[in-house]
Amino acid sequence: MFNQGRLVRGQQGQDPRRVLFAVVKLDTTGFAPLRGDRVCEVAVLRMWGDGRVEDEFATVVNPQRRIGNSDHHGIDDAMAAAAPMFPEIAGELVPRLSDAVVVSHNLPYVDGFLQAEFRHAGIPVGPFPALCTLFEFRRHIDLYRYRQDTVFQEVTGSWPAWQQSSLVGARNLGHLFRILVTEAPQPLAWVGPTPAPQPMLPRTGRIAPRPGSLRRGEEGWLANLAAGLPDMRPSPPPEPQAAAEYRAVLVDALADGRIVGEEAQRLARLATRAGFTRSTVKGVHEQVLAEARARAEADGVVTSAELRELTKAAEELGTRHLVGDLLEVAEKEKSRRNGPLKGWRIVPAGESAAVREVVDSAAERGATIGVNITKTVRLVVADPSEEHRTVARAREAGIPVAAPPEAARILDAAAAEARTSLFDDARESARAADVRERDERREEMERRTGWHRTWRPRELSDDEYYRRFVAPFEDDEEDGTAVHVSARGAASQDPRHHARKSGGGCAGAVFLVLAVAAVLALASRVPAFPV
């Protein structure tokens, strides 16, 4: 199904930054498609080598058999039973593999399962050009282990989330692959088959995307739920009844002003059943908040209690932009009340434009504008060209009276003094800014280049790769499916070969297979490598 290429150092191939890739991640009911294990989730991230994402696709798949490894991926029998079967999603999957180089961290594993699924469905597809990141990272960097999460930590400096959907795994691998292509110490070139279009298949529109790594976080449960769904372009419409149930549960959950974990999990399952994508679930969230805002504005006034309720809902739903104007007005009012002139009471004497300008400026910075002369008044702003009884009363009470220009200077000085800290020091502030900028540059450089310490002086040859990663496992006699590489570099299934679980693979297992004769026949071409 796949014709494998590779990334080589030098300029003898195509710039991978200008190549379209389809990053594929599967979750399955086991590790052996020839023993009846099936795909239970598939995700595809279509991206250019420079990191630009063109499309996402993900769905749970009904494997038509019991799922015994739910603890591994989080998909249980109930969730899978409501999902489409593989033939129903093939029309969405194949176009996302078409015209692109397929990428996987465990290419023969993906090849074996997808071949089996398309064969069960009676759908002829391929071949597709492909690239295995497990193979590439082994050839180019020197690590003790090559599991995807281990490589991710080494290259990015952080571990991926533990609870992952296939989509999260595909996004993480896409991020890793982008770094390899764009930030490697030496330029890399793609050498392999040219992507070609595949025949179009009928589309059913049925999908069941599963939100990945559902957590509250800083953004809130529902904002993270939406972010964990695929950004499909375009998105199929959701299933009407399940979408209505999702909306009903959502509105009920918002009634008490907060979403809790149990409610978020229930909404996530309903989102999968409805076939929501990121854009379609956001549409529901925005509609719910827009209707709540309309109810709040129906009487012409949004009270502080209503604004608090809208704000909390917007934060939970990730739709803060829909109440941004209300929040901006409230924030300005809050800033005004707590401005640097808070505690100043000012009385204007006169109606000239100059007086109004000074008074308005003071009010925006927190000053209270009065009418009568009282003991709490600290300044009267008066136009010298006008006679006003307030001026005489202020002078009798010993309250300062100033013309607009002088009043502006007094108020500016008071505002500046209120902002001044005992530790204000222009030189030290400038030095601190320089230190922060230097440290940020250093941290960014370490993030971008720290993994370069593992870069091999030269990429492994085919014979070196075989001796290090294939030969030690050839005598294993585990029963299962193996994958070998043909003379043309295409990964293919062969029941005569055997597989072995290994810590160097993806999803906790790597199938290592190859006959010595097949490898030696490859010579300087693509070597046999483990799944």
Side-chain angles (χ1 to χ4, degrees), residues 349-398:
E351 297 294 333
S352 69
V355 170
R356 288 198 303 271
E357 182 179 356
V358 172
V359 170
D360 290 345
S361 174
E364 289 177 358
R365 290 180 287 176
T368 301
I369 311 305
V371 176
N372 300 317
I373 298 298
T374 65
K375 292 180 180 180
T376 59
V377 175
R378 299 181 65 174
L379 181 65
V380 173
V381 184
D383 191 328
S385 64
E386 298 181 11
E387 294 289 338
H388 206 286
R389 288 179 297 176
T390 303
V391 173
R393 292 174 182 169
R395 285 176 176 151
E396 289 175 3

Side-chain angles (χ1 to χ4, degrees), residues 130-144:
L131 178 148
C132 180
T133 52
L134 173 62
F135 178 65
E136 298 301 334
F137 279 113
R138 281 174 165 175
R139 290 176 59 244
H140 290 288
I141 68 175
D142 186 11
L143 297 177
Y144 176 68

Side-chain angles (χ1 to χ4, degrees), residues 59-175:
T59 183
V60 175
V61 180
N62 184 346
Q64 299 177 275
R65 61 166 292 172
R66 181 180 173 277
I67 299 176
N69 58 344
S70 296
D71 290 345
H72 176 67
H73 43 60
I75 301 170
D76 57 28
D77 291 325
M79 182 184 298
M85 293 179 288
F86 190 87
E88 296 177 279
I89 61 100
E92 295 287 349
L93 176 60
V94 171
R96 288 171 170 86
L97 305 180
S98 181
D99 277 320
V101 176
V102 173
V103 174
S104 172
H105 195 67
N106 201 355
L107 186 63
Y109 171 83
V110 170
D111 178 59
F113 273 96
L114 288 185
Q115 275 201 70
E117 292 294 347
F118 281 112
R119 184 170 60 249
H120 288 318
I123 301 173
V125 294
F128 299 91
L131 178 148
C132 180
T133 52
L134 173 62
F135 178 65
E136 298 301 334
F137 279 113
R138 281 174 165 175
R139 290 176 59 244
H140 290 288
I141 68 175
D142 186 11
L143 297 177
Y144 176 68
R145 302 185 74 187
Y146 292 87
R147 289 174 57 95
Q148 181 176 319
D149 55 357
T150 304
V151 179
F152 189 94
Q153 192 278 332
E154 177 65 34
V155 172
T156 69
S158 61
W159 289 95
W162 177 252
Q163 292 291 336
Q164 291 187 1
S165 65
S166 289
L167 179 59
V168 173
R171 287 172 176 171
N172 287 342
L173 183 56
H175 182 57

Side-chain angles (χ1 to χ4, degrees), residues 5 7 33 42 81 91 94 203 250 253 261 295 328 366 382 395 487 501 531:
L7 295 175
V42 58
V94 171
R203 295 188 173 187
L250 172 62
R295 290 192 293 272
E328 185 177 357
R395 285 176 176 151
K501 291 185 182 179
V531 179

Side-chain angles (χ1 to χ4, degrees), residues 14 24 26 104 149 200 202 250 263 273 387 395 417 475:
Q14 188 176 358
V24 177
L26 302 180
S104 172
D149 55 357
M200 295 295 292
L250 172 62
E263 292 168 331
R273 194 181 306 163
E387 294 289 338
R395 285 176 176 151
E417 183 179 357
D475 293 334

Side-chain angles (χ1 to χ4, degrees), residues 224-457:
N224 282 317
L225 182 152
L229 292 170
D231 186 14
M232 289 180 63
R233 309 170 191 176
S235 292
E239 197 281 317
Q241 181 176 344
E245 292 174 356
Y246 177 92
R247 177 192 164 93
V249 173
L250 172 62
V251 172
D252 181 67
L254 290 171
D256 62 359
R258 58 193 290 263
I259 302 290
V260 297
E262 183 181 350
E263 292 168 331
Q265 294 292 344
R266 185 179 300 113
L267 286 165
R269 282 187 169 270
L270 287 170
T272 299
R273 194 181 306 163
F276 279 131
T277 65
R278 184 188 303 182
S279 61
T280 53
V281 82
K282 277 187 173 181
V284 173
H285 293 178
E286 291 173 352
Q287 183 183 29
V288 167
L289 188 68
E291 291 173 359
R293 174 173 176 166
R295 290 192 293 272
E297 294 177 328
D299 58 359
V301 177
V302 177
T303 66
S304 58
E306 289 172 335
L307 181 59
R308 283 195 299 272
E309 191 174 0
L310 286 172
T311 302
K312 289 186 69 175
E315 289 172 350
E316 290 282 4
L317 295 169
T319 54
R320 195 178 174 88
H321 60 283
L322 293 182
V323 293
D325 55 333
L326 299 178
L327 295 175
E328 185 177 357
V329 171
E331 189 61 33
K332 284 183 178 179
E333 178 62 20
K334 181 180 178 181
S335 298
R336 186 195 68 76
R337 290 196 304 267
N338 297 305
L341 294 180
K342 181 180 180 179
W344 278 72
R345 186 177 182 84
I346 300 169
V347 173
E351 297 294 333
S352 69
V355 170
R356 288 198 303 271
E357 182 179 356
V358 172
V359 170
D360 290 345
S361 174
E364 289 177 358
R365 290 180 287 176
T368 301
I369 311 305
V371 176
N372 300 317
I373 298 298
T374 65
K375 292 180 180 180
T376 59
V377 175
R378 299 181 65 174
L379 181 65
V380 173
V381 184
D383 191 328
S385 64
E386 298 181 11
E387 294 289 338
H388 206 286
R389 288 179 297 176
T390 303
V391 173
R393 292 174 182 169
R395 285 176 176 151
E396 289 175 3
I399 296 170
V401 177
E406 178 62 20
R409 284 192 291 273
I410 293 171
L411 295 170
D412 288 345
E417 183 179 357
R419 294 191 182 99
T420 301
S421 166
L422 294 174
F423 296 97
D424 277 350
D425 187 311
R427 285 192 306 171
E428 296 296 346
S429 295
R431 181 178 298 176
D434 290 341
V435 171
R436 284 194 300 271
E437 184 179 353
R438 181 199 65 202
D439 289 348
E440 288 171 0
R441 286 199 305 267
R442 183 179 298 164
E443 290 170 4
E444 176 63 15
M445 182 60 66
E446 174 62 21
R447 185 202 67 76
R448 290 173 61 91
T449 64
W451 67 280
H452 289 181
R453 293 188 291 268
T454 65
W455 192 253
R456 297 186 188 278

